[in-house]
Amino acid sequence: MAAIADAPEDVMRHLVHDRTVRIADDPDAGADPNTDTRGNGTAENVLGFVSFDARDDVVYVTQLDGTEAAVEQLLAEPVRFAKGEDMTVELLAPETQPHVKAAAETVGFAAAGNGPRFGGTPTIRYRLEP
């Protein structure tokens, strides 16, 4: 997950402890050690991940990355949880990750304005009502 998010391993470790995390993997990716869908030269079979938490009446997607297909698939989990609890889902899509924006729109999220900047990167706020 750290390689996908380009984040330190200890940050990702805390993420797993503090939130619900789901991972999409490709069981065939490890067959060839020179193959990697992210292009970073590792044999990792992780195609993407999502983390989310729930507060008040909202499920917040706190981290999301991977291939567009994996991101779309992974969004189903926080959406399923939110629907079961009659909650709204919110997601911030960095403008530098158009595949996250595309997956969110495919799943049914609607743009709800600009989000905050993270490390100088603008984000778009997406919402999905139950």
Side-chain angles (χ1 to χ4, degrees), residues 35-100:
T35 302
D36 177 39
T37 59
R38 304 267 321 155
N40 62 12
T42 67
E44 296 292 326
N45 63 348
V46 175
L47 299 177
F49 72 96
V50 63
S51 66
F52 59 96
D53 60 11
R55 294 186 306 264
D56 302 319
D57 293 332
V58 180
V59 174
Y60 294 97
V61 176
T62 54
Q63 290 253 331
L64 177 65
D65 204 351
T67 66
E68 186 172 340
V71 168
E72 188 176 317
Q73 175 187 348
L74 288 162
L75 279 173
E77 182 64 18
V79 169
R80 182 200 59 74
F81 178 84
K83 285 182 179 180
E85 300 296 322
D86 197 30
M87 300 172 80
T88 299
V89 186
E90 284 197 5
L91 148 69
L92 297 174
E95 288 187 4
T96 57
Q97 295 179 317
H99 64 290
V100 172

Side-chain angles (χ1 to χ4, degrees), residues 22-36:
R22 297 291 183 259
I23 296 177
D25 69 348
D26 179 359
D28 297 326
D32 179 357
N34 298 314
T35 302
D36 177 39

